[in-house]
Amino acid sequence: MTYRDNPEIEKKYKSKRWKKLRKQKILLNPLCERCYKKGIIEAAYFVHHKEWINNENYKDDNVFFNIDNTESLCKTCHNKEHFSSKEEYYFDENGDLIKNE
Ligand SMILES: [Zn+2]
Ligand SMILES: [Zn+2]
């Protein structure tokens, strides 16, 4: 599932509401939640949507702006999550375009 062709989703990631939620989440979980479970201390870099955002569910604020649907992840864990799919590009949770290398 990709949303690189949907500027509406990018807009949501650039919204103040998302930025605020992102900050809240990082304050709540400053460490990567997956590494932490394995006993590794790694700073969180991404706030990931557990239910991936796609061209349908992005409109639902209960999905997009739901802190319970977010997970603090380090770059490595976030890449593992997303790049197990075949998409070469996607927007990360900072609204930046990421290339699968
Ligand atoms: Zn991690
Ligand atoms: Zn993600």
Side-chain angles (χ1 to χ4, degrees):
M1 187 64 72
T2 176
Y3 48 80
R4 66 177 188 257
D5 299 323
N6 190 334
E8 291 301 313
I9 297 179
E10 197 191 348
K11 228 185 266 173
K12 280 196 112 152
Y13 275 126
K14 301 216 157 148
S15 69
K16 280 198 182 126
R17 192 172 172 191
W18 169 253
K19 283 180 182 159
K20 205 175 145 197
L21 184 84
R22 197 183 173 276
K23 233 181 245 171
Q24 261 177 4
K25 178 66 181 170
I26 292 283
L27 284 174
L28 205 65
N29 297 96
L31 301 175
C32 173
E33 295 180 50
R34 290 188 195 176
C35 286
Y36 189 75
K37 276 180 201 147
K38 288 182 255 169
I40 304 163
I41 302 296
E42 192 71 62
Y45 185 77
F46 288 102
V47 174
H48 168 70
H49 282 102
K50 287 183 205 168
E51 182 185 336
W52 286 23
I53 298 304
N54 59 45
N55 281 314
E56 284 96 55
N57 69 5
Y58 81 91
K59 292 173 198 147
D60 187 350
D61 285 353
N62 290 323
V63 174
F64 201 98
F65 296 116
N66 182 353
I67 199 157
D68 294 329
N69 187 34
T70 60
E71 194 179 7
S72 293
L73 295 180
C74 70
K75 278 187 191 176
T76 308
C77 291
H78 195 245
N79 282 357
K80 253 186 227 162
E81 170 88 13
H82 284 274
F83 295 153
S84 48
S85 73
K86 290 191 184 75
E87 293 301 333
E88 284 186 4
Y89 296 90
Y90 76 104
F91 286 105
D92 71 18
E93 280 78 356
N94 299 318
D96 296 323
L97 188 65
I98 299 284
K99 189 180 183 289
N100 188 3
E101 286 165 37

